[in-house]
Amino acid sequence: MDYTILVNNGHLLAADYVPEDLIEIHEPTGSKLDPTYINRLCIGAYHAFKDMQKEALKQGYEIFVDSSYRTYQYQQKIFEETALKKGLEHALKFVAKPGGSEHQTGLAVDIIFRRNKQMIEEQTETDPEIKWLFSNAYRYGFILRFPKGKEHITGVAFEPWHFRFVGQELAKKLFLADMTLEEYYASQENNDLSNSPASIT
Ligand SMILES: [Zn+2]
């Protein structure tokens, strides 16, 4: 499993792509579109999340996984329902295309939290739980995947609840450089070009 995989509306996964090492997570979640939905993550992301959750709890923050692995077909359903209800333009802006969602990799989590015994279903950048994640998620290998101010790069609206497991090494690198995954891949391509024999001569 390549934890650094780039998936977006320009880099689509095949309809039959299913990660091999998914495991189920059972914990409190928010209200769901589909009541049969079961949270699943790739094993590396699962353990990293559990470590992060434990540390968050020590700080007094009860974080949980609200949404994680989604099949291609599930994403298709979300996309089509959103497009029907709110129009295609809205769907393209706020919902990944089928195959374009990181949730299909089993490496993405939408976080929810509980405060004073109540699940908080609307996450904002001012919530202390979210602020803690912004500063600490990288230590566990997660990045805030769709940051504010980078919408023109990611092509996705700011999502303070969506974190993506990329492994600790890359997460730290991206956090310190304030880089999105798209910027990282673009910088790699530039490096490849400058190292190619054609540009050395
Ligand atoms: Zn998400």
Side-chain angles (χ1 to χ4, degrees), residues 49 59 67 72 113 118-119 131 138 142 154 156 177 187:
F49 179 79
Q59 312 297 322
S67 185
Y72 180 97
F113 50 86
Q118 275 218 312
M119 294 304 268
K131 280 187 182 168
Y138 81 91
F142 288 91
T154 62
V156 178
S187 73

Side-chain angles (χ1 to χ4, degrees), residues 67-68 70 101-103 108-111 146 159 161-163:
S67 185
S68 46
R70 291 178 201 152
S101 170
E102 296 198 310
H103 285 281
V109 289
D110 291 341
I111 304 261
F146 306 116
E159 291 194 356
W161 57 84
H162 180 115
F163 289 82

